[in-house]
Amino acid sequence: MLKPLGDRVILQAAEEEEQTVGGIVLASNAQEKPTTGKVISVGEGRVLDNGTKVAPSVKEGDTVMFDKYAGTAVSYEGNDYLVLHEKDIVAVVD
């Protein structure tokens, strides 16, 4: 499995099929980018200027909301993931 470094987090973005009021299913390239996902893996945390390490505030299994255009899309062993910095996560969904 992928192990993120520093304050990075690996997410599996939520797959949402978008359908218009008339029942037409939109192509994936015409849809809005998903903004929620499940945390798959978390790095060790951010290191401050004085050398202390700040633990991440999310954990594996959390469902989170993130900035719309944040992160880098990667494929690993046939699965698609999003790697982003913890600062790009805006909320944890309960």
Side-chain angles (χ1 to χ4, degrees):
M1 186 58 199
L2 297 173
K3 179 68 177 159
L5 300 175
D7 70 335
R8 288 180 178 82
V9 177
I10 297 178
L11 301 177
Q12 190 162 34
E15 296 283 331
E16 298 175 4
E17 184 177 270
E18 192 170 329
Q19 198 168 25
T20 64
V21 176
I24 299 171
V25 176
L26 297 176
S28 62
N29 60 354
Q31 296 178 11
E32 290 287 319
K33 206 173 160 188
T35 57
T36 60
K38 181 179 177 184
V39 176
I40 302 299
S41 186
V42 180
E44 295 178 1
R46 180 172 49 107
V47 178
L48 300 177
D49 291 336
N50 65 5
T52 57
K53 193 176 286 189
V54 177
S57 39
V58 295
K59 62 186 181 309
E60 292 179 17
D62 283 350
T63 301
V64 296
M65 294 179 71
F66 54 90
D67 289 334
K68 191 174 199 173
Y69 297 106
T72 303
V74 295
S75 289
Y76 181 73
E77 294 183 350
N79 295 315
D80 294 326
Y81 300 103
L82 187 66
V83 180
L84 51 96
H85 288 275
E86 184 183 22
K87 67 179 180 185
D88 294 327
I89 296 174
V90 294
V92 176
V93 180
D94 284 333

